[in-house]
Amino acid sequence: MNHKETFEAFFDDIHMKDVTEYEDDLGGVIKKLNQHYYDSNDAESNRVIVGSVGRGTAVDGCSDLDVVFKLPGEEYSRYDNREGNGQSALLQDVKKILKSKYPNTDIKGDGQAVVISFTNKPYTIDLVPAFEQSDGSFKYPDTNDGGSWRTTKPTPEQDACKIANAETSENFTRACNALRIWKEHIGLCFGGLLIDTLVNNYRDDIELGNVAFEDYYNVLQEIFSKLKSENPEQSYWLALGSKQHVENKGRGAFVRKAKKAYDKLNNAKNELEKEEALIALLGNRFEECIVGSESQAQENRWAEQYGSTDTEEFIESKFPVEIRYSVKIDCGVTQKGWRPRKLLEMLAEGVFFAQG
């Protein structure tokens, strides 16, 4: 495998070029809200693109666009003073406004956002109605546990990403992109803001500013080495730029997965094994970018020898994939003569029958 040409092609392929594909749908949404709240037909004012797209660290084919819509300040007291869950009422009101324009579109209030899923579009718009504060932060609704107001500070986070990217010759974004591809491929709950924060924490130690494309195998190995050393029990990390709490929503699962990734890269002893390790971690999107593939040459020889045809398909080639939640699957095991046991419990103990 030609490391330089392969990684150059890989990062070019996964980097989000622009948000053009979202603009028509987003413009219609913002225009409708501006008509209702500001008596304006403007399709761009009062919106702030946030999340990974706003920070510039999203990968191409991102499955959701996070947007803050700035509501008039006088609306805040109306919902804050409302009996019951005023935050839920706010989301429902925004939903009704958008439903009047898009009656056949799936629109729902989802905890802290109004999620708009357009038919035949491979992404959603996650719109957060919010109130801009004097310090540039935004107060937004959280409908959980009876309703409350939370605060987000996207601007300093976006500024921090721009600085990190400039100071590392764009290697900061490349590293963040690679971790996103890794977490989607292996099916891991690992939030985008936490990824960006940790890469920013590591960038001086792993000298991201001096990385050439041919060095990225070692860079990924160093990043996973850092990730596996994080405390999986830690409650939160301080977000880059804003210093807000980034909660440990995935219960630190990324630490265990990072150790496995590090071991896989570290144990590869030759070029074929290194290539196979990268494919195992980064999946089909990486494999399609390989220049001078050792494993593909081997597969071609086997295909020619046995007359086989490769018809394998990958879900990420057909649909956008974004892992947001951790899922634990368990079942009960019953065997005649033994008491019932949980499968996960048996696997943890290394037993293969329902003893006890």
Side-chain angles (χ1 to χ4, degrees):
M1 181 182 80
N2 184 316
H3 283 245
K4 180 180 184 301
E5 293 184 20
T6 295
F7 276 106
E8 189 170 10
F10 173 63
F11 287 123
D12 181 67
D13 176 65
I14 66 175
H15 176 66
M16 175 172 277
K17 280 68 176 176
D18 55 50
V19 295
T20 302
E21 66 173 313
Y22 306 102
E23 284 294 349
D24 286 345
D25 292 328
L26 179 58
V29 168
I30 299 302
K31 181 178 179 179
K32 180 60 181 177
L33 294 176
N34 275 328
Q35 287 173 340
H36 181 87
Y37 288 105
Y38 296 98
D39 193 25
S40 166
N41 288 320
D42 194 287
E44 293 188 8
S45 61
N46 299 308
R47 79 176 196 189
V48 181
I49 297 177
V50 295
S52 296
V53 176
R55 294 192 300 275
T57 53
V59 295
D60 192 54
C62 180
S63 64
D64 69 305
L65 180 67
D66 297 312
V67 182
V68 165
F69 180 76
K70 295 188 283 187
L71 291 167
E74 58 268 21
E75 292 287 326
Y76 175 73
S77 58
R78 189 159 72 88
Y79 291 100
D80 189 47
N81 296 330
R82 186 163 178 163
E83 288 188 13
N85 195 325
Q87 292 77 14
S88 178
L90 172 55
L91 291 188
Q92 293 305 312
D93 285 349
V94 172
K95 173 185 171 180
K96 289 176 184 176
I97 294 167
L98 294 176
K99 266 293 188 181
S100 68
K101 179 178 176 66
Y102 304 105
N104 298 319
T105 298
D106 182 14
I107 304 175
K108 60 184 179 181
D110 185 20
Q112 300 159 2
V114 176
V115 180
I116 307 153
S117 304
F118 290 99
T119 305
N120 299 324
K121 297 293 178 68
Y123 59 83
T124 64
I125 294 176
D126 293 6
L127 185 136
V128 178
F131 301 93
E132 188 170 16
Q133 306 299 295
S134 58
D135 62 355
S137 65
F138 293 93
K139 186 175 289 188
Y140 66 96
D142 184 349
T143 65
N144 296 306
D145 300 323
S148 62
W149 299 104
R150 302 183 67 175
T151 300
T152 184
K153 301 176 181 179
T155 302
E157 294 164 2
Q158 293 175 357
D159 291 342
C161 285
K162 290 177 182 176
I163 292 171
N165 214 35
E167 292 179 349
T168 61
S169 301
E170 300 186 17
N171 286 311
F172 167 77
T173 294
R174 294 185 184 111
C176 294
N177 285 172
L179 287 183
R180 282 171 168 79
I181 296 298
W182 168 65
K183 74 110 173 178
E184 301 296 355
H185 176 63
I186 67 171
L188 173 65
C189 178
F190 192 12
L193 182 55
L194 182 53
I195 288 175
D196 298 348
T197 294
L198 294 178
V199 171
N200 187 60
N201 292 348
Y202 304 153
R203 65 186 175 99
D204 289 336
D205 291 341
I206 61 179
E207 299 181 349
L208 269 182
N210 300 314
V211 177
F213 285 112
E214 54 266 32
D215 299 328
Y216 258 96
Y217 187 95
N218 294 331
V219 170
L220 290 176
Q221 191 170 334
E222 289 184 39
I223 289 175
F224 285 122
S225 178
K226 291 286 187 181
L227 287 173
K228 74 183 181 69
S229 299
E230 294 286 341
N231 178 9
E233 304 300 325
Q234 189 166 324
S235 300
Y236 63 85
W237 288 261
L238 296 178
L240 76 172
S242 69
K243 303 303 180 185
Q244 291 198 124
H245 290 186
V246 186
E247 297 176 359
N248 187 359
K249 293 183 178 179
R251 300 189 295 275
F254 74 88
V255 177
R256 184 179 69 256
K257 297 292 187 179
K259 183 182 185 307
K260 292 182 178 179
Y262 172 81
D263 290 343
K264 190 174 289 291
L265 294 174
N266 190 53
N267 293 334
K269 302 306 180 185
N270 55 52
E271 283 303 308
L272 177 59
E273 291 180 359
K274 288 182 178 180
E275 182 180 319
E276 290 174 340
L278 289 168
I279 293 172
L281 298 180
L282 302 174
N284 187 51
R285 293 193 71 168
F286 180 82
E287 186 173 13
E288 290 181 343
C289 295
I290 295 176
V291 177
S293 172
E294 299 278 346
S295 60
Q296 186 60 56
Q298 186 178 78
E299 288 181 14
N300 290 342
R301 289 193 294 271
W302 288 343
E304 184 177 350
Q305 180 178 352
Y306 296 105
S308 63
T309 302
D310 184 5
T311 59
E312 186 174 12
E313 295 182 313
F314 299 90
I315 191 170
E316 62 267 27
S317 299
K318 295 180 174 292
F319 306 99
V321 177
E322 181 177 3
I323 308 300
R324 295 190 179 188
Y325 308 101
S326 294
V327 177
K328 182 180 290 187
I329 299 176
D330 201 0
C331 68
V333 179
T334 59
Q335 298 174 81
K336 188 175 181 179
W338 304 97
R339 70 176 176 85
R341 295 287 301 276
K342 291 294 185 181
L343 179 60
L344 289 181
E345 182 183 90
M346 294 169 64
L347 292 174
E349 295 176 4
V351 298
F352 301 98
F353 52 90
Q355 64 180 359

